Amino acid sequence: IPPWATEVHHEVELALKFSSHLHIIEGAIALDLTERKLQSEAKKSGQPWTLSKSFHGACPVSAFFSIRRFEEIADLKIRLWVNDKLCQDASTAQMLFSPQVLVEYIKEHFPVCPGDLILTGTPAGVGALQRGDVIKAEIEGQITHGWKVLGSPSLST
């Protein structure tokens, strides 16, 4: 958490990685962090949310697991615990857009490069984090990963 941040929220997501042929070959757990106060101020003034979503450490990613077909990730449970309390629990089948639809749309409308990651969206239950919190996230049957929330040193010193 940056020293200037006042309200950082967690969002657990499935991350998908593009191969050299722009196919999805791997997945991981991503922790998409957002500084909500800054995001809210940016929204009110019609400004971009860049700083609220792009600070150092804003998107840690676990190790990757292999994906051969979209069907393998069509109904995966995604969960996140903060200090052993279950906060997010849903399935990829409950997403507004399936991983396959997201990938097809992105490839059609945006430039993608080998190694690029797509974050597929978050289940309900996002919430605030504090320095010292312990996070555990899992994509059931694929990977479990943990993080401890730390404060980052000021970059101005």
Side-chain angles (χ1 to χ4, degrees), residues 21-33:
H21 299 289
L22 302 183
H23 301 291
I24 296 301
I25 57 165
E26 293 181 306
I29 298 169
L31 190 57
D32 184 10
L33 302 179

Side-chain angles (χ1 to χ4, degrees), residues 35-69:
E35 209 302 334
R36 293 287 186 219
K37 184 177 177 189
L38 202 57
Q39 181 187 43
S40 177
E41 290 170 1
K43 282 181 178 180
K44 285 179 189 172
S45 63
Q47 299 297 311
W49 308 351
T50 307
L51 187 56
S52 68
K53 299 289 277 182
S54 303
F55 52 88
H56 288 279
C59 190
V61 177
S62 72
F64 288 88
F65 61 90
S66 178
I67 297 172
R68 292 178 301 281
R69 298 180 326 275

Side-chain angles (χ1 to χ4, degrees), residues 89-108:
D89 183 9
S91 167
T92 55
Q94 296 171 303
M95 293 178 170
L96 292 177
F97 302 101
S98 72
Q100 184 171 358
V101 167
L102 286 173
V103 168
E104 289 170 359
Y105 183 87
I106 289 167
K107 285 173 65 175
E108 182 178 336

Side-chain angles (χ1 to χ4, degrees), residues 3-155:
W4 49 263
T6 59
E7 188 180 348
V8 173
H9 283 205
H10 61 77
E11 301 175 26
V12 67
E13 302 197 31
L14 169 63
L16 301 175
K17 184 177 182 181
F18 283 101
S19 73
S20 60
H21 299 289
L22 302 183
H23 301 291
I24 296 301
I25 57 165
E26 293 181 306
I29 298 169
L31 190 57
D32 184 10
L33 302 179
T34 305
E35 209 302 334
R36 293 287 186 219
K37 184 177 177 189
L38 202 57
Q39 181 187 43
S40 177
E41 290 170 1
K43 282 181 178 180
K44 285 179 189 172
S45 63
Q47 299 297 311
W49 308 351
T50 307
L51 187 56
S52 68
K53 299 289 277 182
S54 303
F55 52 88
H56 288 279
C59 190
V61 177
S62 72
F64 288 88
F65 61 90
S66 178
I67 297 172
R68 292 178 301 281
R69 298 180 326 275
F70 278 110
E71 293 78 21
E72 296 172 6
I73 58 173
D75 190 14
L76 293 176
K77 284 283 197 179
I78 301 175
R79 296 185 183 101
L80 180 129
W81 294 261
V82 176
N83 301 322
D84 294 323
K85 178 185 175 204
L86 183 62
C87 296
Q88 294 184 267
D89 183 9
S91 167
T92 55
Q94 296 171 303
M95 293 178 170
L96 292 177
F97 302 101
S98 72
Q100 184 171 358
V101 167
L102 286 173
V103 168
E104 289 170 359
Y105 183 87
I106 289 167
K107 285 173 65 175
E108 182 178 336
H109 293 91
F110 302 100
V112 292
C113 297
D116 281 355
L117 297 180
I118 295 173
L119 274 57
T120 58
T122 192
V126 302
L129 293 173
Q130 304 297 320
R131 288 167 181 84
D133 283 347
V134 175
I135 299 168
K136 182 175 92 171
E138 79 170 355
I139 297 176
E140 189 175 59
Q142 297 297 330
I143 193 163
T144 301
H145 192 85
W147 292 274
K148 183 169 183 177
V149 180
L150 304 173
S152 63
S154 173
L155 297 177

